[in-house]
Amino acid sequence: MEDQILSNVQNVLNRYSDIRNKILVEADQVVNRFNTLGISAEFEKYLNQHLKFAETVLEKFKDKGLSRFDLFRLAGFTASEENFSNAVAAILDPNRPHQLGKKPLQSVLKKILERNQDQISILSAVSDSKTIQVRRELNLGSTIPDILVESDKFIIFIENKIRHGKETLNSNSHKQTDRQWKELERRGKSLGVPDNCKLGIFLTPEGKLPANNNFVRLSVSEFVEAIDDLLKTESTEYNNTIKAFLQFYKLS
């Protein structure tokens, strides 16, 4: 049953991609034709008016979540920061019954290492940790990280944003990652975690840069790729469920 569902979802996604690509090709052809023929000033004025109207319509579609045919939303799965954070935390939690243990967390860290080699110590710390805790929205007083992953050997804060999401400011105009890094260092010190085993991850669809330079950026596509690569070599009864979620997460 899961295989059939995944296959149906993939077919829909492929069809959406094909239609989108066809529209882009046709649009390029129209633009090239006008560039070849030339556009009069009067027609350009007329065209701009209609383009503005089209942009307004498209914005309304985006606001209503109608920018594409999305079976997940039709089925009631809401693309919210909270829902995605719950799922990401579950995937990274070695205590969850996904039968993958620490491997999802290790795969994501390896993906980060492709761009940030100075984070290699934390990968070893994860491997050496006997007990790892993953918590959602733990109130630490000055800040509440979306996801907290820690042991007595390392500590990770993950700030997760949905598309177009921005870091919030507190009353003192301090951005989230600034507040979180300060708390991450404080908590890490109280746990006796070495400085090279403290990590802040800014997870966004666009791969945005965090306000605090100590955080590393991670795009949703990179997260999905890391877990997808893992599932190619690790076979569990939940692989198809995880893959279906990853497709939804990547496109949202």
Side-chain angles (χ1 to χ4, degrees), residues 189-232:
K189 185 177 181 179
S190 69
L191 294 172
V193 172
D195 286 341
N196 60 358
C197 291
K198 300 171 185 173
L199 177 64
I201 300 173
F202 193 55
L203 176 60
T204 67
E206 305 92 342
K208 289 180 180 177
L209 289 171
N212 188 288
N213 292 330
N214 293 300
F215 268 69
V216 299
R217 64 186 174 93
L218 180 69
S219 70
V220 168
S221 293
E222 289 172 323
F223 177 89
V224 169
E225 185 178 340
I227 305 302
D228 264 338
D229 287 345
L230 171 64
L231 296 180
K232 290 175 184 176

Side-chain angles (χ1 to χ4, degrees), residues 7-18:
S7 176
N8 290 341
V9 170
Q10 190 61 56
N11 287 338
V12 171
L13 295 176
N14 290 340
R15 187 179 176 194
Y16 164 73
S17 180
D18 291 342

Side-chain angles (χ1 to χ4, degrees), residues 30 61 109 114 137 141 157 163 172 174 194 228 232:
V30 171
F61 266 72
L109 291 175
E114 292 177 6
E137 295 191 330
F157 280 12
R163 195 169 299 279
N172 296 319
H174 294 150
D228 264 338
K232 290 175 184 176

